[in-house]
Amino acid sequence: MKLRPLLLLAVALGGLVAQAQAAVVVFNDRAAWEAAVGGTFTEQNFNSYVSSTSYEAAAVDVGDFSVSVTGETFGTIWHNIGPVSNGNNVNGTGQINAATGSTGGTTLAFDSPISAFGADWAGISDSRVTSIDIGGVILAIPNLNGGFWGVVSDSPFTANFLFLSSGPADGFGIDNVVYASAGGTVPEPGTLAMASLALLALAAARKFKA
């Protein structure tokens, strides 16, 4: 009975499954991001916010997700949804005006699981670094002034947590937030690896019986 090789194979593939479940692909181009999600996504452009709505003291629900801040804050002009108030203009319309400090950060909490997220950003990570926690995966957002940055994950997530990972406080704008609901649009390599493991185990079992 040569079960040890089969056991080692199962352990190796099990590790592959664990790694695959945490795979996040970064996009700096919106067209490429849209292609990755199959063109099925929702966008929030905040154009209806013609006056500032602060989320400094309490979360603001914008439809499919809410925006909130914890830890160090810098006044309502840095933590609101509405016209540009912190000098970081994405495209001249309503936007999320945000800032990250020494503690806490800004959270976008979605009502249901999503598999992809992106936005246009202005003034982020300039001489400092704001990072984002997506389902336990930490990514540093590059310096952007009106450019797109987004991700596609093979594991559903329900919240994005933006926090300062280097340097002094960072103020920025977020607009044209796009997101895709989990299910069907994103490849699931973890599932594929599990299926492969089952087939290999079945084949090994048949060979052993023979």
Side-chain angles (χ1 to χ4, degrees), residues 160-173:
N160 302 324
F161 179 62
L162 296 155
F163 64 97
L164 187 70
S165 55
S166 177
D170 188 19
F172 49 92

Side-chain angles (χ1 to χ4, degrees), residues 52-60 75-76 79-81:
S52 295
T53 301
S54 175
Y55 57 85
E56 185 175 34
V60 173
T76 58
H79 306 288
N80 71 82
I81 303 172

Side-chain angles (χ1 to χ4, degrees), residues 2-185:
K2 296 183 178 181
L3 293 179
R4 184 175 176 79
L6 181 59
L7 179 60
L8 291 175
L9 176 62
V11 171
L13 284 174
L16 175 62
V17 171
Q19 292 178 6
Q21 288 177 339
V24 175
V25 180
V26 174
F27 293 85
N28 295 305
D29 179 79
R30 174 163 172 155
W33 181 92
E34 291 184 9
V37 300
T40 303
F41 61 91
T42 303
E43 179 174 0
Q44 170 58 264
N45 58 25
F46 309 107
N47 287 349
S48 62
Y49 288 82
V50 294
S51 60
S52 295
T53 301
S54 175
Y55 57 85
E56 185 175 34
V60 173
D61 189 339
V62 299
D64 290 339
F65 63 94
S66 62
V67 183
S68 62
V69 63
T70 58
E72 185 178 15
T73 58
F74 306 94
T76 58
I77 66 170
W78 292 95
H79 306 288
N80 71 82
I81 303 172
V84 181
S85 60
N86 61 12
N88 298 289
N89 183 5
V90 179
N91 63 11
T93 62
Q95 62 181 39
I96 298 175
N97 296 290
T100 52
S102 59
T103 61
T106 299
T107 299
L108 276 63
F110 288 82
D111 297 338
S112 58
I114 61 173
S115 57
F117 165 83
D120 293 330
W121 310 75
I124 194 166
S125 297
D126 51 348
S127 302
R128 72 267 350 248
V129 179
T130 287
S131 294
I132 187 169
D133 183 336
I134 298 176
V137 177
I138 308 298
L139 299 168
I141 301 177
N143 177 223
L144 295 167
N145 286 291
F148 177 86
W149 187 91
V151 299
V152 173
S153 174
D154 65 358
S155 294
F157 55 96
T158 56
N160 302 324
F161 179 62
L162 296 155
F163 64 97
L164 187 70
S165 55
S166 177
D170 188 19
F172 49 92
I174 312 170
D175 201 0
N176 303 321
V177 172
V178 287
Y179 47 96
S181 298
T185 60

